[in-house]
Structure formats: C-alpha cells, structure tokens
Amino acid sequence: MSTAVVVEAPGEHRLVAHEPRRPEPGEALVRVHATGICGSDREVYQGNRPEGYVRYPLTPGHEWSGTVEAVGAGVPSSLVGRKVVGEGFRNCQVCDRCHAGETTLCTDGYEETGFTQPGAMASTLTLPARLLHVLADDADLTAAALLEPAACIAAAAIKGRALPGEKVAVVGTGTLGMFAVQFLKAGSPAELLVVGTRRDREGLSRQFGASDFRTRDEELPDDFDVVIETAGSASAARTAASLLRRGGRLVLTGIPAAGADGLDPTDLVVRQLEVHTVFGAPPDAWSHTVRVFGAGLLDPLPLVTHELPLAEFSEAIELVGSGDPKVGKVLLKP
C-alpha cells in the first residue's frame, strides 16, 4: 500500500494511505526514492517554524530524489523514467525577482514543497516540472536525496566567488559544512580550514578536502579570503568574520536563535568586509550542484548514517534532534 506521513499539527502525525495525484498541465509525478530530514523538518513537527513558513496539515519532505513516472500536458514525455531531484520554492516566475533569477526572493509570497505544499514523505510527489533537475541514468538516488542542502551551499559558494589559490574556510561541521568543504575544495584553494566544536569531525573534514582543522577555542588565523558559515550558532557569524583578511568575503547560511552575537558594523566598515547571506537555492545553484555531483566532485553518501522506512518517522525525528555524534544524515524511504 502507498503511504504518506501527515503532520496534523505540532507534535501530531499519522501514516495515511497515499493516492498519487495525477499531474496536471505543466506538472510531473515522481516516484520518491528517499527523503532527507533536517532541522527545519524537526521545527515543523515541534511547531517552532516561523509563522507563514508552514501550513498544517502537511506532508513534510523538501530534500528528496526519485524517478519520473508520468507527466502532464505540455511537459516533454522524455522525462518519464528519468532520475530527478527538484527545487522546493514554488516561485511565481513573473515578478521582478523571479525574472532576475532570484526565485527564493519571489515577491508573490513564500510557498515551498514540504512546508506549505505537499512534500516527499510519501510514495509519490506531484510538482511543477519546471522545478525538476535531471540526473545521469547511473546516478545514485540515495546520495542524490541530499542535493537540496548541497544546492543551498552551492548558492553560498557562488556568492563567495573563491578563486583558485585563495585561502578559504568553513565554520560549522554539520551536513552543510561538509558540503561547503567539498564545493570549496573543487575550486583548488591554497588552504582550506574547517572550524568547528567537535574534534570528531576532523577526519571527515580532511576526507572531503580540508587542509587544516581547528576548534573555536584554539588560536584562529585572520588572513582568509573567503569564509562560508554554516553553523547557525549564537557566535558563529562573529567567528567567521574574525577569520577574514581586510576586504575578505563572508557568506552566512546559518539561522541562529534570537539573541545571537551580531556582526560589529564598525568592524565591517573599517575592514571593508563583503557580507552575503543565503536562504534556499535558486536555479543556478541547483544546476551547479547537479553538474558537480555528476562530475564526481560531490560525495554525499558518507554523511548518511541512518535509512528508515516512512513508518518510523517519529524515530527519525528523534534521531535528528538527539545530539548523538554518531547521527549524521537521516533518510526516510517509502
């Protein structure tokens, strides 16, 4: 029987029978292979997601991979049978920001798969075909289920504009941090430093290409060209900024809780630091991610530690929030 997870309200969920929705014109029906769980899914379940960024009842799941089973009118039939991943933001395509390619800033309002629209914690997912990105026929769909968070970091790497031979750093050693290491390594840096709080992440950081690893209580340098922050902790932004040379480039991706240490505006001006932020991934970041993945320069599989069936949704949510250092990326499979 086809099933889906439905979160009725914060703290309340059930497994229900799932009937695939036939694709309408411009849409595609995807058979889901795997769905990743991240902190924002835990926020949905606990009721901590900001107002306007979730709509109950809801089938979660914004990180996913699958295979196209059917398409609606106006969609090329050649998509049927292809392995795919898909963008989450349901942008309007007609506003000024969408026309500029900044679809995550759509002025028509926030709509996203797995938060305000049905997500991929189900046997199938029906969505606009324009959001799909086609993978190679031999692509590993389990690994591809992590391409959504990877695309968010690709957006950060694009904004950081790291050049070959520059000194680059990553603050944060979670899933996003490890993707940042891989994207920056692909650009042939002179040095690639990872800064984190967990010494046990040093081995994985170096496996992905880091040339140095330090914890935040160690002496840190201040001469890096580009720093990508992925930790989202209260002091992460300040730590990241402190690593930069004068005129360096900082990209923030973490979302800390209220009361975090803000960046010092005097420091930003005097050192002429260039600061960017990322929330989600626009189409160019997705395309870049799929290319890098297809070229073998991005390896998500070492980040996956647990694969569970949909029926174990509650166990998966608990794993994600357990704080256990042995828990990495958790996937659900229909």
Side-chain angles (χ1 to χ4, degrees):
M1 179 183 72
S2 294
T3 57
V5 172
V6 174
V7 177
E8 299 284 359
E12 301 177 18
H13 83 280
R14 58 194 177 99
L15 200 67
V16 303
H18 172 71
E19 185 70 28
R21 182 172 71 79
R22 187 177 184 86
E24 297 179 359
E27 293 185 324
L29 170 67
V30 176
R31 175 66 56 179
V32 177
H33 173 81
T35 306
I37 299 180
C38 79
S40 56
D41 295 305
R42 187 172 169 82
E43 289 177 352
V44 167
Y45 186 64
Q46 294 182 324
N48 299 328
R49 192 156 173 84
E51 185 178 356
Y53 288 85
V54 63
R55 188 180 301 132
Y56 301 100
L58 172 73
T59 293
H62 62 288
E63 306 176 2
W64 58 270
S65 63
T67 304
V68 177
E69 280 202 345
V71 296
V75 179
S77 59
S78 58
L79 273 179
V80 176
R82 298 303 304 271
K83 295 178 178 180
V84 294
V85 289
E87 299 175 34
F89 282 79
R90 305 290 187 94
N91 45 80
C92 75
Q93 293 290 291
V94 296
C95 74
D96 179 66
R97 290 302 86 205
C98 283
H99 280 306
E102 298 176 336
T103 53
T104 60
L105 299 177
C106 177
T107 60
D108 194 44
Y110 172 78
E111 294 287 344
E112 186 176 4
T113 299
F115 296 108
T116 63
Q117 297 290 330
M121 291 186 191
S123 301
T124 68
L125 173 65
T126 302
L127 74 167
R130 61 181 171 79
L131 299 177
L132 297 179
H133 289 261
V134 177
L135 304 173
D137 291 339
D138 62 351
D140 185 326
L141 283 178
T142 299
L146 276 68
L147 292 188
E148 190 277 340
C152 295
I153 293 303
I158 290 170
K159 289 189 175 184
R161 307 188 317 279
L163 299 173
E166 286 194 310
K167 299 174 67 173
V168 300
V170 176
V171 174
T173 59
T175 298
L176 297 182
M178 294 301 95
F179 278 134
V181 172
Q182 294 183 64
F183 275 110
L184 290 174
K185 177 61 177 178
S188 302
E191 295 182 37
L192 205 176
L193 168 68
V194 174
V195 177
T197 58
R198 291 171 46 187
R199 178 59 68 177
D200 64 301
R201 299 293 278 184
E202 178 174 3
L204 193 59
S205 299
R206 291 187 182 275
Q207 177 183 328
F208 286 139
S211 58
D212 191 9
F213 182 97
R214 303 189 194 186
T215 58
R216 294 186 194 178
D217 56 1
E218 295 181 79
E219 183 178 354
L220 298 176
D222 61 359
D223 60 346
F224 277 69
D225 300 289
V226 178
V227 178
I228 296 179
E229 177 276 323
T230 68
S233 62
S235 60
R238 284 210 176 205
T239 298
S242 72
L243 296 169
L244 288 166
R245 63 164 172 81
R246 296 187 69 195
R249 306 185 293 283
L250 172 63
V251 187
L252 304 175
T253 71
I255 303 178
D261 294 333
L263 296 176
D264 181 353
T266 300
D267 180 57
L268 297 181
V269 173
V270 171
R271 291 204 290 142
Q272 299 182 59
L273 300 183
E274 185 178 320
V275 181
H276 297 272
T277 62
V278 167
F279 178 66
D284 64 338
W286 271 97
S287 296
H288 182 53
T289 300
V290 170
R291 285 195 300 269
V292 173
F293 178 64
L297 299 174
L298 195 66
D299 184 12
L301 277 181
L303 301 173
V304 178
T305 58
H306 295 76
E307 298 180 36
L308 303 173
L310 280 181
E312 295 183 23
F313 169 78
S314 58
E315 291 88 341
I317 287 290
E318 289 303 314
L319 279 171
V320 171
S322 68
D324 185 342
K326 295 181 180 179
V327 177
K329 199 65 182 179
V330 178
L331 299 183
L332 289 177
K333 290 192 170 181

